[in-house]
Amino acid sequence: MTANDFIETKAPQLAYYGKAFLDNQLDYKEIQLYMWDVLEEWQCISGSQQAEQPSDTEKVFWHLLYCFDHWSGWAIKGNQYLRQQIHECCDYINIGGNVPQSCIGIRP
């Protein structure tokens, strides 16, 4: 599996979880469990994929994952800017368009 294949599989899932969380349909702990699963799987493929350049979708994916790791669930729900940023990242992953502003995602 390439890094691109990995992101094409995982990014829509993360966007779905992000939207469900913002709509109060998913508990924050589920996103955290998903995040750790993603990082564990990434570790298995990342060593052989260092030369491959990350796509914009990948950058948004890592930024979104970072947001869920860095900010608590209550902080995300209580801060309109964070909610909007997560919403824009999820939309970009799902439908494309312009990369959200202030979106800086790098590989772990």
Side-chain angles (χ1 to χ4, degrees):
M1 175 180 278
T2 67
N4 192 42
D5 293 337
F6 180 84
I7 296 300
E8 285 183 23
T9 301
K10 298 299 180 180
Q13 294 171 350
L14 181 59
Y16 175 80
Y17 281 178
K19 289 284 196 170
F21 172 72
L22 292 177
D23 292 338
N24 295 317
Q25 297 174 344
L26 185 70
D27 189 61
Y28 186 72
K29 290 182 190 275
E30 292 297 320
I31 293 175
Q32 290 177 315
L33 291 173
Y34 176 77
M35 177 186 64
W36 288 113
D37 287 344
V38 165
L39 291 173
E40 184 178 4
E41 291 176 38
W42 175 255
Q43 189 173 15
C44 295
I45 67 158
S46 65
S48 62
Q49 303 298 324
Q50 295 302 326
E52 193 175 327
Q53 291 297 318
S55 65
D56 287 341
T57 300
E58 182 178 343
K59 292 174 187 175
V60 172
F61 171 81
W62 291 121
H63 179 80
L64 187 56
L65 203 67
Y66 169 80
C67 287
F68 283 118
D69 179 48
H70 186 72
W71 301 103
S72 65
W74 62 267
I76 293 169
K77 286 191 176 183
N79 184 306
Q80 199 62 23
Y81 175 77
L82 292 175
R83 287 180 64 87
Q84 183 64 29
Q85 188 176 48
I86 288 172
H87 180 73
E88 289 173 0
C89 287
C90 292
D91 281 349
Y92 177 80
I93 289 171
N94 285 329
I95 58 176
N98 295 325
V99 175
Q101 292 182 345
S102 303
C103 184
I104 304 170
I106 57 173
R107 292 176 175 170

